């Protein structure tokens, strides 16, 4: 969904992490160290809506969820119930998307109205949300409209006016009184459809035309309600601040009447000489010069340069004074993860806002009671390789085909948490693969993380592996399991075990 910005890696790209390893682990170490010390500081979008411990749905069926026969009340009801059970209190949902089904258009591309079921579908969705305490951010449009021949909706002020009078006004009349509706977003990531850099769509409009469109829609919404916020889902801070720092290019959305800001973050936004990262310590709304609250409206549900955990990003957003965070996405609509990747983090955040994961074992001058649990070898601390700090754990294998390196009775218990471990993989070994693991209960039941074959690992580099420890269990051991194709003598390194 998110195009490249002049060759930068898009959201979820497998190329986004390795070039910035040094930056990543430096930020990780500083951020984790600060989390416990920072005071609770989450904001709200308007003083009456709680901090948005949210998520992106964003659709069940792209562009046809409302006002068509595809509307599925049960799907939304079940989704909201699942969110509520994990402490989520808000959801970002897309309405028109690219205009494929709503509103209705004539042959010239001019809006003629809405379907007879659209408002009723939205009302039903909002009632379902309210029943589970979910606040809704309704995103009207996405940049995808420029790939569906609807640029005139933005560039032609007559067409914009017809959309307002024939579609938006009837929609607003039908839904603004529903208590679940908290925010209306004019358009998702409009920057991708603007003719100035970084236009990546089939059609485009000028920045001035997009700004006029946003201002017109914002004014139309404000004319109908004074209690619902209006925002724009900016693709990146790159185009949302005039502070002149970190290689940002300007604030394209100032002076348009927005009630709160909404910015998105993906791993390509942190790199050499530029940084558009709202989660970074000190990158507060005031740092960017905003005078209204801000929600981080998209970020991956999976590890994202330079962060290893979604909970880490959630906690950083809160501690930096943002008004909410919304991981992408509940429905798993692309490669950036799904609800299963962040539901535990959302629940943890709801119980302890602002508290993120910590590095539990960093091997700074001590093996921290880690050792070989099977196979032959020995562990020592070493400065030969290190991911964070000056030391790592050196696991020296001695003529063995298997090896388990870990700790018994890890403390504090990681039960119910995701564990991240960094492993330095040397080149020229007989490694078949490795995985993070935990063992739990009196029978030492084994739980392995994703098996990482040698071909999936990067030699002469730090590789991050994960495992989730079962909730409500006595965790007996945790560590890394190695398998070799033939007897191996040599060393791997482990560092920054975090949960």
């Amino acid at each position: 969904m998110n195009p490249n910005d002049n060759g930068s890696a898009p959201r979820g790209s497998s190329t986004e992490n390795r070039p910035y390893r040094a930056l990543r682990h430096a930020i990780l170490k500083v951020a984790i160290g600060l989390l416990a010390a920072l005071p609770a500081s989450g904001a709200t979008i308007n003083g009456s809506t709680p901090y948005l411990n949210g998520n992106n749905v964003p659709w069940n069926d792209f562009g046809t969820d409302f006002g068509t026969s595809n509307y599925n009340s049960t799907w939304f009801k079940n989704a909201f119930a699942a969110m509520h059970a994990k402490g989520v209190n808000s959801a970002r949902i897309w309405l028109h998307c690219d205009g494929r089904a709503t509103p209705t258009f004539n042959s010239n591309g001019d809006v003629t109205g809405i379907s007879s079921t659209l408002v009723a579908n939205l009302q039903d969705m909002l009632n379902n949300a309210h029943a589970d305490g979910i606040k809704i951010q309704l995103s009207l449009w996405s940049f995808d409209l420029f790939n569906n021949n609807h640029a005139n909706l933005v560039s032609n002020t007559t067409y914009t006016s017809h959309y307002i009078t024939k579609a938006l006004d009837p929609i607003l009349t039908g839904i603004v009184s529903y208590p679940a509706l908290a925010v209306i977003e004019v358009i998702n990531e409009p920057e991708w459809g603007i003719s100035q850099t970084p236009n990546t769509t089939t059609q485009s409009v000028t920045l001035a035309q997009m700004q006029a469109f946003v201002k017109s829609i914002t004014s139309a919404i404000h004319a109908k309600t004074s209690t619902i916020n209006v925002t724009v889902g900016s693709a990146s801070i790159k185009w949302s601040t005039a502070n002149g720092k970190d290689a940002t290019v300007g604030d394209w959305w100032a002076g348009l009447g927005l009630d709160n800001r909404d910015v998105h973050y993906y791993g390509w936004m942190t790199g050499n000489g530029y940084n558009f990262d709202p989660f970074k310590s000190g990158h507060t709304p005031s740092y960017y010069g905003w005078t209204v609250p801000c929600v981080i409206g998209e970020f991956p549900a999976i590890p994202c340069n330079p962060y290893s955990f979604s909970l880490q990003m959630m906690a950083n957003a809160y501690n930096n004074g943002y008004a909410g965070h919304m991981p992408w996405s509940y429905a798993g609509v692309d490669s950036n993860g799904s609800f299963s990747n962040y539901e535990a983090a959302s629940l943890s955040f709801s119980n302890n806002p602002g508290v993120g994961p910590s590095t539990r074992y960093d091997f700074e001058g001590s093996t921290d009671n880690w050792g070989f649990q099977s196979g032959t070898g020995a562990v020592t601390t070493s400065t030969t390789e290190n991911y964070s700090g000056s030391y790592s754990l050196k696991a020296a294998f001695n003529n063995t085909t298997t090896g388990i390196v870990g700790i018994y009775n890890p403390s504090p218990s990681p039960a119910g948490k995701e564990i991240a471990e960094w492993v330095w993989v040397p080149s020229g070994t007989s490694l078949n693969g490795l995985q993070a693991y935990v063992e739990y209960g009196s029978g030492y039941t084994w739980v392995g993380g994703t098996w990482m074959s040698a071909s999936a690992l990067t030699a002469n580099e730090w590789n991050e592996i994960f495992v989730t420890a079962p909730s409500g269990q006595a965790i007996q051991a945790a560590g890394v399991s190695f398998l070799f194709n033939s007897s191996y003598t040599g060393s791997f390194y482990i560092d920054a075990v975090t949960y």
Side-chain angles (χ1 to χ4, degrees):
M1 286 182 44
N2 192 18
N4 290 356
D5 172 25
N6 292 335
S8 299
R11 62 169 67 151
S13 169
S14 62
T15 65
E16 71 181 11
N17 291 329
R18 289 197 293 272
Y20 312 117
R21 177 178 66 84
L23 177 64
R24 177 175 177 163
H25 79 242
I27 294 175
L28 173 65
K29 188 173 181 67
V30 171
I32 289 173
L34 287 173
L35 282 178
L38 285 170
S41 54
T44 64
I45 58 170
N46 55 21
S48 59
T49 302
Y51 180 93
L52 300 179
N53 179 23
N55 65 169
N56 282 271
V57 170
W59 58 78
N60 177 33
D61 192 349
F62 183 84
T64 66
D65 275 333
F66 306 101
T68 77
S69 60
N70 286 347
Y71 177 66
N72 189 333
S73 177
T74 300
W75 188 89
F76 282 100
K77 183 180 296 184
N78 291 342
F80 296 142
M83 294 174 199
H84 176 76
K86 297 299 181 179
V88 174
N89 66 8
S90 49
R92 181 171 176 251
I93 294 177
W94 291 19
L95 176 55
H96 303 309
C97 299
D98 63 356
R100 66 182 55 189
T102 67
T104 55
F105 295 88
N106 63 22
S107 59
N108 295 322
D110 196 3
V111 173
T112 59
I114 57 176
S115 75
S116 60
T117 59
L118 177 57
V119 171
N121 291 165
L122 288 171
Q123 291 171 339
D124 182 70
M125 180 272 292
L126 290 168
N127 280 334
N128 287 336
H130 184 61
D132 277 305
I134 306 295
K135 295 293 185 181
I136 298 299
Q137 177 168 320
L138 186 67
S139 182
L140 299 176
W141 291 98
S142 175
F143 70 87
D144 300 272
L145 71 89
F146 297 108
N147 289 323
N148 197 30
N149 203 34
H150 287 311
N152 281 343
L153 178 73
V154 176
S155 61
N156 186 318
T157 56
T158 298
Y159 283 24
T160 302
S161 177
H162 289 167
Y163 167 68
I164 291 171
T165 58
K166 298 179 180 182
L168 182 60
D169 280 352
I171 291 170
L172 294 174
T173 298
I175 66 174
V176 293
S177 64
Y178 282 67
L181 185 61
V183 183
I184 297 177
E185 178 183 323
V186 177
I187 185 168
N188 165 67
E189 300 190 350
E191 294 90 347
W192 305 123
I194 294 173
S195 54
Q196 290 93 319
T197 303
N199 167 234
T200 57
T201 50
T202 304
Q203 296 180 309
S204 63
V205 297
T206 67
L207 174 58
Q209 288 171 330
M210 180 62 77
Q211 290 170 329
F213 174 76
V214 169
K215 190 171 185 178
S216 293
I217 301 300
T218 300
S219 296
I221 297 170
H222 283 156
K224 288 283 188 178
T225 176
S226 61
T227 60
I228 295 169
N229 278 35
V230 184
T231 192
V232 164
S234 176
S236 173
I237 284 169
K238 178 176 182 178
W239 304 288
S240 291
T241 180
N243 71 357
K245 301 175 182 179
D246 311 315
T248 53
V249 300
D251 192 347
W252 289 3
W253 313 115
L256 303 181
L258 301 179
D259 299 300
N260 68 269
R261 294 302 186 101
D262 183 294
V263 295
H264 301 171
Y265 180 79
Y266 291 90
W268 66 264
M269 299 180 196
T270 294
N272 186 16
Y274 60 93
N275 190 296
F276 317 130
D277 178 5
F279 299 112
K280 183 178 180 180
S281 180
H283 281 200
T284 63
S286 61
Y287 174 84
Y288 294 115
W290 302 322
T291 57
V292 295
C294 182
V295 172
I296 303 176
E298 286 187 23
F299 61 94
I302 57 178
C304 169
N305 176 42
Y307 304 102
S308 298
F309 298 92
S310 52
L311 180 58
Q312 186 181 0
M313 292 182 273
M314 294 175 183
N316 286 15
Y318 186 86
N319 290 326
N320 267 355
Y322 287 88
H325 58 257
M326 295 186 169
W328 181 278
S329 63
Y330 173 86
V333 298
D334 57 21
S335 62
N336 287 288
S338 64
F339 190 50
S340 63
N341 295 110
Y342 64 85
E343 58 181 335
S346 295
L347 182 60
S348 177
F349 180 90
S350 71
N351 292 327
N352 296 286
V355 179
S358 297
T359 297
R360 306 298 182 176
Y361 301 101
D362 60 8
F363 311 109
E364 292 300 299
S366 168
T367 63
D368 290 337
N369 294 319
W370 281 55
F372 272 78
Q373 296 178 358
S374 75
T376 55
V379 301
T380 58
T381 58
S382 173
T383 58
T384 302
E385 303 293 348
N386 56 79
Y387 180 79
S388 67
S390 301
Y391 292 84
S392 67
L393 183 76
K394 178 181 178 179
F397 295 85
N398 183 17
N399 194 32
T400 187
T401 58
T402 63
I404 297 178
V405 180
I407 182 172
Y408 290 112
N409 301 314
S411 179
S413 173
K417 298 180 180 179
E418 186 175 43
I419 304 172
E421 305 175 57
W422 288 91
V423 181
W424 175 273
V425 178
S427 60
T429 75
S430 60
L431 181 71
N432 176 283
L434 54 80
Q435 67 181 156
Y437 79 93
V438 295
E439 293 176 304
Y440 70 90
S442 59
Y444 282 71
T445 302
W446 176 277
V447 176
T450 301
W451 177 257
M452 303 295 292
S453 65
S455 61
L457 298 165
T458 304
N460 295 324
E461 180 61 273
W462 286 99
N463 295 262
E464 191 172 25
I465 59 176
F466 298 90
V467 64
T468 299
S471 297
Q473 299 291 340
I475 306 304
Q476 305 287 13
V480 184
S481 175
F482 298 82
L483 176 65
F484 300 95
N485 292 319
S486 58
S487 293
Y488 174 70
T489 297
S491 298
F492 285 66
Y493 299 85
I494 300 170
D495 203 1
V497 179
T498 302
Y499 55 87

